[in-house]
Amino acid sequence: MQRFKCFLAARHSLHYHNTHVRTISALPNYATLNKLEDDVLVEGKAFSRSSVLNRPDSLNALTTPMVGRLNRLYESWEENPDIGFVLMKNNGRAFSSGSDVVSLYNNLSNGNVEDSKVFFQTLYKFVYLLGTYFKPHVAILNGLTFGAGAGISFPGMFRVVTDKTVFATPEAQIGFHPDAGASFYLSRLPGYLGEYLALTGKKLNGVEMVACGLATHYLLKERLPMIDERLGKLMTDDTTVIENSLAQYGDLVYLDETSILNKIKGIDKCFSQDTVEEILDALKKEATESHSEWSTTALKKLKEASPLSLKVTLQSIREGRYQPLDLCLAREYRISCNWISKHVSSDFSEGVRARLVDKDFAPKWDPPTLGDVSNDMVDCHFAPLPEVEPELNLNTAVREPSL
């Protein structure tokens, strides 16, 4: 293998520059509180705190109570002068498989749209909190890191991956759109790699994540206890000291010659096109002329995805290139709310049913083809919410994001 260098300059490109009422029921349900505390554990060290995603049987899929607890913890830690930096970790083989879409599916099947909207609102507010966090943050992404799992970790200063880390944004394959800040971080990847990942749901390993800038450090899983011990002894909020501590146990990045990142020239040629139809045509031409496996696989993935999802996703990523994090999240919230309201299509419910509930892997998309997806259908998802329904409210006056 040859050491990969050309992408390393972008390894810190996703660093979000940091700027410097809890309600309690009169009769609390202690069983619920204990379950919530079990789902998100807390570890305290001398000068740091760690949140630990602890729902391993569900691949740490995120629920509204979990994200709400993270919000409360992070707000309290940020205000505590005795805490210098914060970490996020996981138990089990997944950092987080993303949102608990089966729960969202069940809510929608029961006509409970509001609970799903509350989930998106809670999730996106936490993503923004992390993206504008005043203190250094270290996310240790050991295992599957999909969709919203990336959203609650990528905005932080340091993203540590291992040889067991796998990243993907597979939302288009289940009839949805990459959210939780995906239109921000994907649109800032080298070239048109973000469009490729968003539309195909292609997986990247830990080495590839460092190489393209999604992660800042790579190490073998066996070194995690050493990193944990080292960070636990730090008595500082100095980002340089934290960086050096992480680098001390890090491993060199060697990109396999079969990696998709070695196909970036072809990816740029195909996925820089203006429309999904033109991307498909470019991929067909690439597959015919070069007989490349990557283009054939990409074609297959696009044909399996929801046609409506593909068009909405492409427009969202393109708009994200020119917007700060708060505007990306506000747009994604509009899309998500309009989507689950089923004004245009029920593709999200159908995709989850086909791939995760009934598992027949034969979703019946509506509209069924790209040609049937009109511009009005796409624009509907980006439209402002009705006056009776508030937009996503982020505290930009105090927590101003950077581009």
Side-chain angles (χ1 to χ4, degrees):
M1 294 184 292
Q2 184 178 4
R3 185 174 181 183
F4 186 72
K5 296 181 179 179
C6 67
F7 281 101
L8 289 182
R11 64 181 291 182
H12 292 288
S13 63
L14 292 179
H15 173 204
Y16 299 69
H17 300 288
N18 294 336
T19 61
H20 216 114
V21 186
R22 182 175 180 181
T23 59
I24 303 177
S25 170
L27 296 172
N29 185 328
Y30 292 105
T32 301
L33 290 175
N34 289 337
K35 176 64 169 63
L36 176 55
E37 291 177 357
D38 287 342
D39 287 348
V40 180
L41 304 177
V42 173
E43 293 180 357
K45 302 294 183 180
F47 205 62
S48 65
R49 295 292 184 274
S50 297
S51 60
V52 185
L53 304 181
N54 187 44
R55 205 173 167 229
D57 292 343
S58 300
L59 300 179
N60 291 323
L62 299 170
T63 63
T64 304
M66 286 177 69
V67 183
R69 176 163 163 80
L70 286 170
N71 261 302
R72 293 189 295 273
L73 290 172
Y74 273 64
E75 287 176 348
S76 67
W77 292 341
E78 189 177 55
E79 296 170 358
N80 189 335
D82 296 326
I83 297 175
F85 64 99
V86 175
L87 298 91
M88 186 183 292
K89 303 184 291 185
N90 64 282
N91 284 331
R93 68 185 183 91
F95 174 77
S96 174
S97 59
S99 306
D100 190 339
V101 294
V102 175
S103 293
L104 295 175
Y105 165 84
N106 290 332
N107 281 340
L108 298 178
S109 297
N110 294 326
N112 191 352
V113 177
E114 292 308 311
D115 278 1
S116 296
K117 291 179 180 179
V118 169
F119 170 74
F120 291 125
Q121 185 178 92
T122 306
L123 173 63
Y124 299 173
K125 284 186 175 182
F126 179 69
V127 172
Y128 187 71
L129 172 65
L130 186 57
T132 56
Y133 209 58
F134 296 164
K135 295 181 178 181
H137 185 268
V138 181
I140 300 178
L141 313 172
N142 182 42
L144 303 177
T145 305
F146 291 170
I152 65 165
S153 55
F154 283 7
M157 187 175 294
F158 301 110
R159 289 93 58 198
V160 181
V161 294
T162 75
D163 52 320
K164 300 298 182 182
T165 306
V166 179
F167 161 75
T169 52
E171 286 83 355
Q173 311 300 312
I174 60 169
F176 201 53
H177 69 109
D179 65 331
S183 65
F184 183 88
Y185 65 76
L186 289 178
S187 64
R188 282 154 177 78
L189 293 180
Y192 292 87
L193 180 63
E195 281 88 339
Y196 167 77
L197 295 174
L199 297 177
T200 65
K202 169 68 177 178
K203 297 175 182 177
L204 297 182
N205 61 33
V207 170
E208 292 169 322
M209 291 173 69
V210 173
C212 72
L214 285 171
T216 59
H217 297 80
Y218 174 87
L219 69 156
L220 299 177
K221 178 185 176 182
E222 288 72 20
R223 294 180 186 266
L224 286 178
M226 292 183 282
I227 282 280
D228 202 45
E229 182 180 6
R230 172 62 176 160
L231 293 176
K233 293 179 178 179
L234 292 183
M235 299 289 292
T236 183
D237 59 0
D238 188 328
T239 58
T240 302
V241 175
I242 298 171
E243 160 78 29
N244 291 338
S245 298
L246 293 171
Q248 180 180 351
Y249 295 100
D251 293 284
L252 295 177
V253 172
Y254 292 91
L255 193 69
D256 190 276
E257 62 182 13
T258 62
S259 170
I260 192 63
L261 298 187
N262 288 320
K263 312 297 182 184
I264 195 68
K265 185 176 180 180
I267 288 174
D268 284 352
K269 181 169 66 175
C270 295
F271 285 84
S272 61
Q273 304 299 320
D274 291 336
T275 66
V276 177
E277 289 89 344
E278 290 172 327
I279 289 173
L280 278 168
D281 289 342
L283 283 170
K284 291 175 184 176
K285 183 178 180 181
E286 178 75 13
T288 300
E289 294 179 352
S290 66
H291 304 287
S292 59
E293 182 180 353
W294 79 266
S295 57
T296 302
T297 301
L299 272 172
K300 181 175 180 292
K301 288 295 185 181
L302 263 64
K303 290 178 180 178
E304 291 175 350
S306 156
L308 179 61
S309 292
L310 292 176
K311 290 200 171 186
V312 170
T313 294
L314 181 61
Q315 182 169 323
S316 183
I317 299 295
R318 292 283 163 83
E319 290 188 11
R321 284 178 178 266
Y322 308 102
Q323 294 177 333
L325 179 60
D326 62 315
L327 294 184
C328 286
L329 289 169
R331 172 175 29 76
E332 290 172 7
Y333 182 68
R334 282 183 178 180
I335 296 173
S336 295
C337 288
N338 286 321
W339 205 294
I340 62 176
S341 297
K342 302 182 181 181
H343 297 313
V344 174
S345 171
S346 299
D347 273 5
F348 174 63
S349 292
E350 174 62 10
V352 175
R353 179 207 64 77
R355 300 192 184 279
L356 298 173
V357 179
D358 296 340
K359 298 183 180 180
D360 58 25
F361 299 96
K364 295 178 174 58
W365 302 126
D366 179 28
T369 69
L370 288 170
D372 294 321
V373 180
S374 68
N375 291 336
D376 287 343
M377 291 178 181
V378 175
D379 292 341
C380 175
H381 291 84
F382 294 80
L385 300 176
E387 290 185 7
V388 295
E389 186 173 339
E391 301 277 355
L392 183 66
N393 182 24
L394 300 172
N395 192 7
T396 55
V398 175
R399 318 187 70 93
E400 185 176 354
S402 66
L403 280 168

